[in-house]
Amino acid sequence: NAGVTQTPKFQVLKTGQSMTLQCAQDMNHEYMSWYRQDPGMGLRLIHYSVGAGITDQGEVPNGYNVSRSTTEDFPLRLLSAAPSQTSVYFCASSRNGDSSYNEQFFGPGTRLTVL
Amino acid sequence: AQKVTQAQTEISVVEKEDVTLDCVYETRDTTYYLFWYKQPPSGELVFLIRRNSFDEQNEISGRYSWNFQKSTSSFNFTITASQVVDSAVYFCALGPNAGNMLTFGGGTRLMVKP
């Protein structure tokens, strides 16, 4: 069980470039989410998915796209990178439902710098 | 809208001291989940506890304990006899009933000095 994996671990982009942050989980979790972490602001939800083919916006979705074609993968696309998107990005997954065992498992994070 | 406030941005203690991290939340949901996560200097997020809004019993796990008070919308975290390895950023978070999309507080950086 690899849990939640994210690639790359580090990335530097120039303003205007596009790229995709990869996220995969092998726990057959229905829920997957993307967060960004900025200093002093905790984590903020960008997009989330409750199952394959279903996505929705979180608190800070502008400038990002997602898709969920399989249960395992939930890539995050930056369409035209801006310096304001410099952040650490975390992907998370969890089971559906209200069970007390629905812990959110987080990936190790991707540190993105936009110049 | 949901909101989580961790008023203490930074706390410094000497090893073996007890320390309490405060968390105050706002939500209109009648059912919700509260979480604490630890982020050590290595950067990963480590799950510590989840509490359902219907369960107001305090929780103790080793040196860690949590005090959930619905009347004051607080979910405070106490570390007893702190250790240097407890040095980290601690996040309180709030999740809705129907899903697991979390609203995080700004975090409290805890520094435990030897």
Side-chain angles (χ1 to χ4, degrees), chain B residues 84-104:
Chain B
V84 173
V85 294
D86 295 326
S87 297
V89 180
Y90 291 86
F91 290 100
C92 180
L94 170 67
N97 181 35
N100 301 84
M101 293 74 68
L102 302 183
T103 298
F104 282 80

Side-chain angles (χ1 to χ4, degrees), chain A residues 31 35 37 98 100 103-104, chain B residues 33 39 50 97-98 100 102:
Chain A
Y31 280 50
Y35 297 84
Q37 182 179 16
D98 297 335
S100 60
E103 174 189 341
Q104 280 227 12
Chain B
Y33 289 87
Q39 188 174 46
R50 172 187 43 250
N97 181 35
N100 301 84
L102 302 183

Side-chain angles (χ1 to χ4, degrees), chain A residues 11 13-14 17 19 21 23-24 29 31 39-40 44 52 55-56 60 62 66 74 78-80 83 96 99 102 113:
Chain A
Q11 183 70 50
L13 292 178
K14 293 181 180 177
Q17 286 185 317
M19 81 156 294
L21 307 185
C23 174
H29 285 169
Y31 280 50
R44 291 182 292 169
T55 64
D56 208 344
V60 288
N62 292 342
V66 292
F74 191 44
L78 279 69
L79 309 172
S80 178
N96 194 358
S99 165
N102 283 354
T113 301

Side-chain angles (χ1 to χ4, degrees), chain A:
Chain A
N1 238 1
V4 181
T5 58
Q6 291 183 238
T7 55
K9 294 195 77 172
F10 302 93
Q11 183 70 50
V12 179
L13 292 178
K14 293 181 180 177
T15 297
Q17 286 185 317
S18 62
M19 81 156 294
T20 299
L21 307 185
Q22 301 292 344
C23 174
Q25 52 92 8
D26 60 358
M27 297 172 281
N28 203 31
H29 285 169
E30 299 90 346
Y31 280 50
M32 295 187 75
S33 310
W34 276 102
Y35 297 84
R36 59 177 288 174
Q37 182 179 16
D38 301 304
M41 298 190 70
L43 280 75
R44 291 182 292 169
L45 183 64
I46 304 172
H47 284 285
Y48 63 95
S49 169
V50 299
I54 306 170
T55 64
D56 208 344
Q57 297 181 351
E59 180 186 354
V60 288
N62 292 342
Y64 307 95
N65 270 359
V66 292
S67 60
R68 184 100 178 267
S69 55
T70 66
T71 299
E72 294 78 20
D73 300 301
F74 191 44
L76 177 72
R77 296 184 190 86
L78 279 69
L79 309 172
S80 178
S84 60
Q85 294 178 305
T86 294
S87 189
V88 180
Y89 291 85
F90 287 95
C91 180
S93 76
S94 61
R95 290 202 179 282
N96 194 358
D98 297 335
S99 165
S100 60
Y101 297 100
N102 283 354
E103 174 189 341
Q104 280 227 12
F105 292 85
F106 282 88
T110 294
R111 185 175 294 274
L112 176 68
T113 301
V114 182
L115 304 175

